[in-house]
């Protein structure tokens, strides 16, 4: 396994921090709703469910990033793209103490997860692919080898795209 990129580690840490914050917020709103302090209980229940589900999803994305799962990158990018307008809305509502950290973390996470080192590590699933031949194809017996042999030097006279007769 190749060494994990420091940009992936940082992006995963920031994504996890957002996930923990969302789960904490969802738990807080849930408790407030349960004890009857919510002004609008129906909306508070919705906020609780969304915050808990979103937070758990962000924690799953952070775990996927740490494991080198390429499929964790797109949801991580999406959560940050959703966080930026939320930060802007908080800024316009004079809640700078929440808006600034959220905006900075979202922008920084985007930069980190889309950086070339992160991309290189995540595209390969966090692992070295093993030996390749000189044209980059998997060595014999790899997943792309159909067992039919190569048209190159096989003497069959058949090129790519020609049917066998």
């Amino acid at each position: 396994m190749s060494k994990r990129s420091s940009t992936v580690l940082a992006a995963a840490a920031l994504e996890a921090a957002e996930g923990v914050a969302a789960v904490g917020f969802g738990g807080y709103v849930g408790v407030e709703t349960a004890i009857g302090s919510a002004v609008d209980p129906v909306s508070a229940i919705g906020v609780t469910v969304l915050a808990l589900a979103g937070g758990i999803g962000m924690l799953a994305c952070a775990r996927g990033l740490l494991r080198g799962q390429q499929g964790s990158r797109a949801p991580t990018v999406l959560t940050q793209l959703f966080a930026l307008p939320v930060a802007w809305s908080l800024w316009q509502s004079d809640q700078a103490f929440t808006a600034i950290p959220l905006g900075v973390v979202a922008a920084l996470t985007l930069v980190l997860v889309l950086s070339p080192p992160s991309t290189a590590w995540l595209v390969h699933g966090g692992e070295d692919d093993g030996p390749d031949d000189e044209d980059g194809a998997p060595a014999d017996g790899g997943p792309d080898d159909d067992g039919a042999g190569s048209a190159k030097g096989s003497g069959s006279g058949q090129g790519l795209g020609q049917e066998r007769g």
Side-chain angles (χ1 to χ4, degrees):
M1 180 182 266
S2 64
K3 186 177 180 212
R4 183 180 301 122
S5 167
S6 61
T7 57
V8 170
L9 284 172
L14 292 173
E15 181 79 359
E18 286 178 309
V20 168
V23 168
F25 179 69
Y28 171 78
V29 173
V31 168
E32 290 293 307
T33 303
I35 63 173
S37 297
V39 174
D40 182 6
V42 174
S43 294
I45 290 170
V47 167
T48 299
V49 170
L50 288 174
L52 290 174
I56 291 168
M58 286 186 267
L59 291 170
C61 287
R63 183 175 184 225
L65 288 174
L66 289 175
R67 290 180 168 208
Q69 296 171 338
Q70 186 177 2
S72 62
R73 189 166 102 153
T76 299
V77 169
L78 284 174
T79 57
Q80 303 317 309
L81 292 176
F82 286 130
L84 289 172
V86 170
W88 181 252
S89 177
L90 289 167
W91 177 264
Q92 290 180 324
S93 301
D94 294 325
Q95 296 182 39
F97 60 94
T98 307
I100 292 172
L102 179 59
V104 168
V105 167
L108 188 56
T109 304
L110 275 172
V111 168
L112 288 168
V113 81
L114 295 174
S115 70
S118 294
T119 300
W121 194 73
L122 290 168
V123 164
H124 295 294
E127 298 181 9
D128 291 327
D129 286 334
D132 289 345
D133 63 13
E134 64 227 39
D135 65 354
D140 288 2
D144 292 339
D145 187 8
D146 63 2
S150 171
K152 223 182 341 183
S154 67
S156 66
Q158 294 179 351
L160 295 175
Q162 295 177 348
E163 292 185 29
R164 293 183 181 160

